[in-house]
Amino acid sequence: MKVIRISLAVLGLLLSLSNPINAAEELNTVCPISGKPVDPKITTVYEGKTYAFAMEACKTKWISARDASLYHKLGGKAAIDAAVESFYVKVLADDRIKHFFDDINMTAQRRKQKAFLSAAFGGPQPWTGKDMRKAHENLPGLNETHFNAVAENLQKTLEELKVPKDLIDQVMAIAASTKDDVLNRKPAGK
Ligand code: HEM
């Protein structure tokens, strides 16, 4: 009986340690607006995560930027995550481009694409992965036809999700802005 009680206590402790609700949340130490050390009393919660700032003015600026962002207009994390999931279902079924992903860990790829697009749309977290030129430099034969196929799949995904046209246009403009880097071309006019 005693052994069972001790085992349950150990199990409870392990569960509480692995439970994210009980785990102490790590606060950012650098203010995302000023780059200065944060005041841990000046915080805001966004999508369940706490962000700290150096000054009240930074917090106000950051919240306004989030509210005005394409990320927010699209529906935030849940909407972007869902869109990326269906986008890759289409990409992997598309004979024009699916071979590029043959040896790619698609769980990691989906995670990275969610993070990249979220940052590009003005989400709360910066992109910390590779720049687009580096990320695509080892894809032999990658050309404009492939880029356009990817863009087409992205557009179709958003249309199916009934995203308003003006927002789709903004997403597609951001996607197009990566074209020279993804295709490892010189930027136009340079
Ligand atoms: C709107 C255009 C595109 C965006 C925004 C984009 C975004 C990304 C991102 C965020 C990564 C991960 C970078 C990292 O590892 O840190 C990546 C990798 C990759 N992308 Fe793209 N991509 C685009 C176009 C394309 C196209 C046209 C293809 C091919 C048809 C492609 C194929 C790949 C592959 C195969 C990888 C994995 C490379 C590796 O892990 O070695 N991407 N892309």
Side-chain angles (χ1 to χ4, degrees), residues 25-28 40 42-53 62 125:
E25 193 182 2
E26 236 179 77
L27 216 55
N28 56 302
I42 304 177
T43 61
T44 192
V45 176
Y46 186 82
E47 293 183 329
K49 190 174 167 10
T50 306
Y51 295 86
F53 304 89
W62 190 88
Q125 310 266 14

Side-chain angles (χ1 to χ4, degrees), residues 97 100-101 104 109 112-113 116 127 129-130 132 135-136 139 142 146-147 150 175 178 182:
I97 47 178
F100 285 103
F101 298 90
I104 301 300
Q109 183 65 18
K112 290 179 196 173
Q113 191 64 272
F116 177 81
W127 167 244
K130 293 180 186 158
M132 289 300 96
H136 299 90
L139 301 178
L142 184 67
H146 304 123
F147 186 93
V150 161
T178 69
V182 167

